mmCIF file of all heavy atoms in Angstrom:
data_model
loop_
_atom_site.group_PDB
_atom_site.id
_atom_site.type_symbol
_atom_site.label_atom_id
_atom_site.label_comp_id
_atom_site.label_asym_id
_atom_site.label_seq_id
_atom_site.Cartn_x
_atom_site.Cartn_y
_atom_site.Cartn_z
ATOM 1 N N GLU I 363 131.177 100.861 107.581
ATOM 2 C CA GLU I 363 131.957 101.651 106.637
ATOM 3 C C GLU I 363 131.351 103.046 106.468
ATOM 4 O O GLU I 363 132.057 104.072 106.397
ATOM 5 C CB GLU I 363 132.097 100.918 105.262
ATOM 6 C CG GLU I 363 133.195 101.513 104.414
ATOM 7 C CD GLU I 363 133.371 100.765 103.101
ATOM 8 O OE1 GLU I 363 132.850 99.667 102.956
ATOM 9 O OE2 GLU I 363 134.079 101.323 102.233
ATOM 10 N N VAL I 364 130.028 103.116 106.342
ATOM 11 C CA VAL I 364 129.372 104.412 106.198
ATOM 12 C C VAL I 364 129.626 105.265 107.444
ATOM 13 O O VAL I 364 129.984 106.421 107.303
ATOM 14 C CB VAL I 364 127.829 104.199 105.987
ATOM 15 C CG1 VAL I 364 127.076 105.490 106.163
ATOM 16 C CG2 VAL I 364 127.534 103.573 104.647
ATOM 17 N N ARG I 365 129.469 104.665 108.618
ATOM 18 C CA ARG I 365 129.796 105.429 109.829
ATOM 19 C C ARG I 365 131.218 105.954 109.883
ATOM 20 O O ARG I 365 131.479 107.058 110.310
ATOM 21 C CB ARG I 365 129.526 104.564 111.057
ATOM 22 C CG ARG I 365 128.092 104.520 111.535
ATOM 23 C CD ARG I 365 127.953 103.621 112.774
ATOM 24 N NE ARG I 365 126.597 103.420 113.121
ATOM 25 C CZ ARG I 365 125.886 104.245 113.888
ATOM 26 N NH1 ARG I 365 126.409 105.358 114.323
ATOM 27 N NH2 ARG I 365 124.590 103.967 114.212
ATOM 28 N N SER I 366 132.143 105.076 109.471
ATOM 29 C CA SER I 366 133.560 105.414 109.471
ATOM 30 C C SER I 366 133.834 106.601 108.548
ATOM 31 O O SER I 366 134.536 107.553 108.927
ATOM 32 C CB SER I 366 134.400 104.210 109.051
ATOM 33 O OG SER I 366 135.702 104.590 108.802
ATOM 34 N N VAL I 367 133.265 106.576 107.324
ATOM 35 C CA VAL I 367 133.451 107.657 106.389
ATOM 36 C C VAL I 367 132.876 108.962 106.933
ATOM 37 O O VAL I 367 133.528 110.038 106.887
ATOM 38 C CB VAL I 367 132.809 107.297 105.011
ATOM 39 C CG1 VAL I 367 132.742 108.570 104.100
ATOM 40 C CG2 VAL I 367 133.622 106.198 104.341
ATOM 41 N N LEU I 368 131.655 108.917 107.539
ATOM 42 C CA LEU I 368 131.007 110.088 108.054
ATOM 43 C C LEU I 368 131.784 110.644 109.276
ATOM 44 O O LEU I 368 131.899 111.848 109.482
ATOM 45 C CB LEU I 368 129.546 109.816 108.428
ATOM 46 C CG LEU I 368 128.619 109.456 107.279
ATOM 47 C CD1 LEU I 368 127.286 108.973 107.814
ATOM 48 C CD2 LEU I 368 128.407 110.680 106.373
ATOM 49 N N ALA I 369 132.359 109.721 110.105
ATOM 50 C CA ALA I 369 133.102 110.169 111.308
ATOM 51 C C ALA I 369 134.400 110.851 110.857
ATOM 52 O O ALA I 369 134.799 111.901 111.454
ATOM 53 C CB ALA I 369 133.404 108.951 112.184
ATOM 54 N N GLN I 370 135.070 110.318 109.852
ATOM 55 C CA GLN I 370 136.305 110.921 109.379
ATOM 56 C C GLN I 370 136.004 112.310 108.770
ATOM 57 O O GLN I 370 136.770 113.251 108.947
ATOM 58 C CB GLN I 370 136.992 110.047 108.338
ATOM 59 C CG GLN I 370 137.614 108.790 108.961
ATOM 60 C CD GLN I 370 138.179 107.868 107.863
ATOM 61 O OE1 GLN I 370 139.181 108.194 107.274
ATOM 62 N NE2 GLN I 370 137.548 106.729 107.676
ATOM 63 N N TYR I 371 134.892 112.422 108.047
ATOM 64 C CA TYR I 371 134.493 113.690 107.430
ATOM 65 C C TYR I 371 134.248 114.756 108.569
ATOM 66 O O TYR I 371 134.631 115.911 108.450
ATOM 67 C CB TYR I 371 133.263 113.520 106.571
ATOM 68 C CG TYR I 371 132.615 114.768 106.072
ATOM 69 C CD1 TYR I 371 133.370 115.799 105.505
ATOM 70 C CD2 TYR I 371 131.236 114.973 106.125
ATOM 71 C CE1 TYR I 371 132.812 116.966 105.030
ATOM 72 C CE2 TYR I 371 130.644 116.116 105.669
ATOM 73 C CZ TYR I 371 131.415 117.108 105.122
ATOM 74 O OH TYR I 371 130.863 118.274 104.643
ATOM 75 N N GLU I 372 133.636 114.277 109.658
ATOM 76 C CA GLU I 372 133.334 115.186 110.790
ATOM 77 C C GLU I 372 134.668 115.737 111.371
ATOM 78 O O GLU I 372 134.724 116.931 111.695
ATOM 79 C CB GLU I 372 132.598 114.356 111.866
ATOM 80 C CG GLU I 372 131.769 115.200 112.836
ATOM 81 C CD GLU I 372 130.682 116.045 112.188
ATOM 82 O OE1 GLU I 372 130.022 115.562 111.257
ATOM 83 O OE2 GLU I 372 130.507 117.205 112.650
ATOM 84 N N GLU I 373 135.689 114.883 111.457
ATOM 85 C CA GLU I 373 136.986 115.335 111.972
ATOM 86 C C GLU I 373 137.687 116.342 111.005
ATOM 87 O O GLU I 373 138.370 117.229 111.445
ATOM 88 C CB GLU I 373 137.892 114.121 112.160
ATOM 89 C CG GLU I 373 137.508 113.282 113.357
ATOM 90 C CD GLU I 373 138.300 111.961 113.421
ATOM 91 O OE1 GLU I 373 139.250 111.817 112.650
ATOM 92 O OE2 GLU I 373 137.903 111.112 114.247
ATOM 93 N N LEU I 374 137.413 116.168 109.700
ATOM 94 C CA LEU I 374 138.065 117.041 108.718
ATOM 95 C C LEU I 374 137.347 118.407 108.580
ATOM 96 O O LEU I 374 137.907 119.353 107.987
ATOM 97 C CB LEU I 374 138.115 116.384 107.361
ATOM 98 C CG LEU I 374 139.053 115.158 107.206
ATOM 99 C CD1 LEU I 374 138.768 114.448 105.888
ATOM 100 C CD2 LEU I 374 140.482 115.588 107.280
ATOM 101 N N LYS I 375 136.150 118.504 109.128
ATOM 102 C CA LYS I 375 135.387 119.760 108.931
ATOM 103 C C LYS I 375 136.079 120.999 109.475
ATOM 104 O O LYS I 375 135.995 122.060 108.866
ATOM 105 C CB LYS I 375 133.986 119.594 109.612
ATOM 106 C CG LYS I 375 132.975 118.893 108.691
ATOM 107 C CD LYS I 375 131.605 118.860 109.297
ATOM 108 C CE LYS I 375 130.586 118.163 108.393
ATOM 109 N NZ LYS I 375 129.292 117.999 109.057
ATOM 110 N N ILE I 378 138.716 122.031 106.994
ATOM 111 C CA ILE I 378 138.085 122.581 105.800
ATOM 112 C C ILE I 378 137.587 124.002 106.076
ATOM 113 O O ILE I 378 137.779 124.912 105.252
ATOM 114 C CB ILE I 378 136.914 121.697 105.338
ATOM 115 C CG1 ILE I 378 137.417 120.324 104.885
ATOM 116 C CG2 ILE I 378 136.162 122.328 104.160
ATOM 117 C CD1 ILE I 378 136.346 119.258 104.708
ATOM 118 N N MET I 383 139.351 123.210 101.182
ATOM 119 C CA MET I 383 139.556 121.865 100.660
ATOM 120 C C MET I 383 140.933 121.706 100.008
ATOM 121 O O MET I 383 141.444 120.590 99.891
ATOM 122 C CB MET I 383 138.481 121.542 99.600
ATOM 123 C CG MET I 383 137.075 121.359 100.162
ATOM 124 S SD MET I 383 136.789 119.684 100.821
ATOM 125 C CE MET I 383 136.576 118.773 99.304
ATOM 126 N N LEU I 386 143.710 119.649 101.715
ATOM 127 C CA LEU I 386 143.553 118.235 102.012
ATOM 128 C C LEU I 386 144.333 117.371 101.015
ATOM 129 O O LEU I 386 144.487 117.761 99.847
ATOM 130 C CB LEU I 386 142.079 117.864 101.936
ATOM 131 C CG LEU I 386 141.083 118.547 102.928
ATOM 132 C CD1 LEU I 386 139.697 118.019 102.740
ATOM 133 C CD2 LEU I 386 141.536 118.320 104.381
ATOM 134 N N SER I 387 144.728 116.194 101.446
ATOM 135 C CA SER I 387 145.365 115.258 100.537
ATOM 136 C C SER I 387 144.313 114.691 99.547
ATOM 137 O O SER I 387 143.113 114.744 99.812
ATOM 138 C CB SER I 387 145.952 114.086 101.341
ATOM 139 O OG SER I 387 144.910 113.318 101.926
ATOM 140 N N PRO I 388 144.748 114.169 98.402
ATOM 141 C CA PRO I 388 143.800 113.618 97.409
ATOM 142 C C PRO I 388 142.878 112.503 98.042
ATOM 143 O O PRO I 388 141.709 112.441 97.734
ATOM 144 C CB PRO I 388 144.668 113.007 96.310
ATOM 145 C CG PRO I 388 145.960 113.787 96.408
ATOM 146 C CD PRO I 388 146.112 114.127 97.821
ATOM 147 N N GLU I 389 143.444 111.700 98.969
ATOM 148 C CA GLU I 389 142.639 110.649 99.634
ATOM 149 C C GLU I 389 141.530 111.318 100.440
ATOM 150 O O GLU I 389 140.391 110.839 100.460
ATOM 151 C CB GLU I 389 143.482 109.782 100.526
ATOM 152 C CG GLU I 389 144.503 108.924 99.809
ATOM 153 C CD GLU I 389 145.778 109.668 99.498
ATOM 154 O OE1 GLU I 389 146.023 110.733 100.115
ATOM 155 O OE2 GLU I 389 146.498 109.229 98.557
ATOM 156 N N ASP I 390 141.886 112.380 101.151
ATOM 157 C CA ASP I 390 140.897 113.074 102.015
ATOM 158 C C ASP I 390 139.829 113.748 101.181
ATOM 159 O O ASP I 390 138.644 113.781 101.557
ATOM 160 C CB ASP I 390 141.586 114.081 102.972
ATOM 161 C CG ASP I 390 142.295 113.388 104.132
ATOM 162 O OD1 ASP I 390 142.020 112.132 104.325
ATOM 163 O OD2 ASP I 390 143.092 113.998 104.820
ATOM 164 N N VAL I 391 140.213 114.326 100.079
ATOM 165 C CA VAL I 391 139.240 114.971 99.165
ATOM 166 C C VAL I 391 138.225 113.942 98.671
ATOM 167 O O VAL I 391 137.038 114.154 98.681
ATOM 168 C CB VAL I 391 139.951 115.636 97.961
ATOM 169 C CG1 VAL I 391 138.918 116.097 96.928
ATOM 170 C CG2 VAL I 391 140.775 116.827 98.433
ATOM 171 N N ASN I 392 138.729 112.736 98.291
ATOM 172 C CA ASN I 392 137.820 111.654 97.875
ATOM 173 C C ASN I 392 136.899 111.246 99.005
ATOM 174 O O ASN I 392 135.698 111.000 98.796
ATOM 175 C CB ASN I 392 138.641 110.399 97.440
ATOM 176 C CG ASN I 392 139.177 110.606 96.017
ATOM 177 O OD1 ASN I 392 138.695 111.447 95.257
ATOM 178 N ND2 ASN I 392 140.205 109.809 95.672
ATOM 179 N N LEU I 393 137.415 111.193 100.194
ATOM 180 C CA LEU I 393 136.645 110.748 101.385
ATOM 181 C C LEU I 393 135.531 111.786 101.646
ATOM 182 O O LEU I 393 134.394 111.429 101.870
ATOM 183 C CB LEU I 393 137.552 110.632 102.636
ATOM 184 C CG LEU I 393 136.805 110.151 103.879
ATOM 185 C CD1 LEU I 393 137.579 109.000 104.514
ATOM 186 C CD2 LEU I 393 136.632 111.271 104.848
ATOM 187 N N VAL I 394 135.866 113.084 101.552
ATOM 188 C CA VAL I 394 134.874 114.156 101.786
ATOM 189 C C VAL I 394 133.786 114.098 100.728
ATOM 190 O O VAL I 394 132.595 114.143 101.040
ATOM 191 C CB VAL I 394 135.577 115.540 101.781
ATOM 192 C CG1 VAL I 394 134.520 116.649 101.720
ATOM 193 C CG2 VAL I 394 136.458 115.729 103.006
ATOM 194 N N ASN I 395 134.139 113.865 99.478
ATOM 195 C CA ASN I 395 133.159 113.740 98.413
ATOM 196 C C ASN I 395 132.190 112.560 98.633
ATOM 197 O O ASN I 395 130.991 112.682 98.458
ATOM 198 C CB ASN I 395 133.836 113.585 97.027
ATOM 199 C CG ASN I 395 134.440 114.907 96.584
ATOM 200 O OD1 ASN I 395 133.979 115.977 96.977
ATOM 201 N ND2 ASN I 395 135.498 114.841 95.779
ATOM 202 N N ARG I 396 132.818 111.434 99.063
ATOM 203 C CA ARG I 396 131.995 110.255 99.325
ATOM 204 C C ARG I 396 131.005 110.535 100.495
ATOM 205 O O ARG I 396 129.836 110.195 100.451
ATOM 206 C CB ARG I 396 132.847 109.054 99.700
ATOM 207 C CG ARG I 396 133.415 108.285 98.483
ATOM 208 C CD ARG I 396 133.859 106.885 98.855
ATOM 209 N NE ARG I 396 135.008 106.898 99.738
ATOM 210 C CZ ARG I 396 136.300 106.933 99.316
ATOM 211 N NH1 ARG I 396 136.576 106.971 98.020
ATOM 212 N NH2 ARG I 396 137.270 106.935 100.202
ATOM 213 N N ALA I 397 131.547 111.165 101.589
ATOM 214 C CA ALA I 397 130.738 111.455 102.766
ATOM 215 C C ALA I 397 129.584 112.383 102.416
ATOM 216 O O ALA I 397 128.414 112.169 102.865
ATOM 217 C CB ALA I 397 131.602 112.054 103.859
ATOM 218 N N ARG I 398 129.854 113.413 101.641
ATOM 219 C CA ARG I 398 128.791 114.389 101.310
ATOM 220 C C ARG I 398 127.720 113.752 100.438
ATOM 221 O O ARG I 398 126.522 114.025 100.517
ATOM 222 C CB ARG I 398 129.394 115.611 100.637
ATOM 223 C CG ARG I 398 130.190 116.478 101.618
ATOM 224 C CD ARG I 398 130.811 117.699 100.927
ATOM 225 N NE ARG I 398 129.796 118.623 100.463
ATOM 226 C CZ ARG I 398 129.238 119.579 101.212
ATOM 227 N NH1 ARG I 398 129.594 119.717 102.466
ATOM 228 N NH2 ARG I 398 128.336 120.404 100.694
ATOM 229 N N LYS I 399 128.152 112.821 99.534
ATOM 230 C CA LYS I 399 127.151 112.097 98.712
ATOM 231 C C LYS I 399 126.325 111.134 99.570
ATOM 232 O O LYS I 399 125.094 111.023 99.368
ATOM 233 C CB LYS I 399 127.891 111.341 97.617
ATOM 234 C CG LYS I 399 128.319 112.284 96.424
ATOM 235 C CD LYS I 399 129.217 111.621 95.451
ATOM 236 C CE LYS I 399 129.668 112.633 94.401
ATOM 237 N NZ LYS I 399 130.738 112.191 93.538
ATOM 238 N N LEU I 400 126.992 110.466 100.523
ATOM 239 C CA LEU I 400 126.240 109.601 101.421
ATOM 240 C C LEU I 400 125.241 110.373 102.258
ATOM 241 O O LEU I 400 124.070 109.978 102.388
ATOM 242 C CB LEU I 400 127.213 108.881 102.366
ATOM 243 C CG LEU I 400 127.979 107.666 101.806
ATOM 244 C CD1 LEU I 400 129.045 107.262 102.747
ATOM 245 C CD2 LEU I 400 127.037 106.514 101.529
ATOM 246 N N GLU I 401 125.622 111.553 102.785
ATOM 247 C CA GLU I 401 124.745 112.384 103.590
ATOM 248 C C GLU I 401 123.477 112.730 102.793
ATOM 249 O O GLU I 401 122.365 112.687 103.287
ATOM 250 C CB GLU I 401 125.450 113.693 103.993
ATOM 251 C CG GLU I 401 126.283 113.542 105.265
ATOM 252 C CD GLU I 401 126.784 114.909 105.731
ATOM 253 O OE1 GLU I 401 126.876 115.828 104.956
ATOM 254 O OE2 GLU I 401 127.078 114.973 106.990
ATOM 255 N N ILE I 434 128.114 104.094 96.060
ATOM 256 C CA ILE I 434 128.763 105.380 96.368
ATOM 257 C C ILE I 434 130.136 105.130 96.959
ATOM 258 O O ILE I 434 131.131 105.830 96.589
ATOM 259 C CB ILE I 434 127.880 106.209 97.379
ATOM 260 C CG1 ILE I 434 126.585 106.689 96.689
ATOM 261 C CG2 ILE I 434 128.641 107.427 97.899
ATOM 262 C CD1 ILE I 434 125.567 107.251 97.641
ATOM 263 N N LEU I 435 130.275 104.140 97.891
ATOM 264 C CA LEU I 435 131.551 103.844 98.504
ATOM 265 C C LEU I 435 132.573 103.283 97.493
ATOM 266 O O LEU I 435 133.781 103.421 97.711
ATOM 267 C CB LEU I 435 131.332 102.876 99.662
ATOM 268 C CG LEU I 435 130.586 103.439 100.898
ATOM 269 C CD1 LEU I 435 130.179 102.343 101.834
ATOM 270 C CD2 LEU I 435 131.484 104.481 101.628
ATOM 271 N N ASP I 437 132.887 104.450 94.601
ATOM 272 C CA ASP I 437 133.199 105.604 93.724
ATOM 273 C C ASP I 437 132.604 105.430 92.319
ATOM 274 O O ASP I 437 133.194 105.908 91.370
ATOM 275 C CB ASP I 437 134.735 105.829 93.633
ATOM 276 C CG ASP I 437 135.237 106.528 94.888
ATOM 277 O OD1 ASP I 437 134.427 107.146 95.562
ATOM 278 O OD2 ASP I 437 136.461 106.439 95.134
ATOM 279 N N ARG I 440 131.728 109.088 90.889
ATOM 280 C CA ARG I 440 132.745 110.073 91.139
ATOM 281 C C ARG I 440 132.460 111.387 90.392
ATOM 282 O O ARG I 440 132.684 112.460 90.899
ATOM 283 C CB ARG I 440 134.110 109.513 90.683
ATOM 284 C CG ARG I 440 135.269 110.363 91.080
ATOM 285 C CD ARG I 440 136.565 109.801 90.422
ATOM 286 N NE ARG I 440 136.970 108.590 91.077
ATOM 287 C CZ ARG I 440 137.940 108.543 92.033
ATOM 288 N NH1 ARG I 440 138.557 109.643 92.364
ATOM 289 N NH2 ARG I 440 138.262 107.392 92.565
ATOM 290 N N GLU I 444 127.072 116.198 93.863
ATOM 291 C CA GLU I 444 126.414 115.736 95.078
ATOM 292 C C GLU I 444 124.981 116.114 95.155
ATOM 293 O O GLU I 444 124.157 115.434 95.775
ATOM 294 C CB GLU I 444 127.210 116.201 96.339
ATOM 295 C CG GLU I 444 127.211 117.711 96.465
ATOM 296 C CD GLU I 444 128.163 118.190 97.576
ATOM 297 O OE1 GLU I 444 129.284 117.649 97.704
ATOM 298 O OE2 GLU I 444 127.739 119.108 98.289
#
Side-chain angles (χ1 to χ4, degrees):
E363 195 176 347
V364 168
R365 274 182 189 275
S366 168
V367 168
L368 294 171
Q370 289 175 69
Y371 172 46
E372 202 60 39
E373 287 171 10
L374 291 169
K375 276 183 179 174
I378 296 167
M383 290 279 283
L386 297 182
S387 67
E389 293 81 19
D390 284 347
V391 170
N392 282 341
L393 182 131
V394 169
N395 286 333
R396 278 198 293 272
R398 289 179 66 85
K399 282 169 182 169
L400 281 169
E401 274 189 337
I434 291 169
L435 290 167
D437 283 340
R440 189 187 287 260
E444 61 189 44

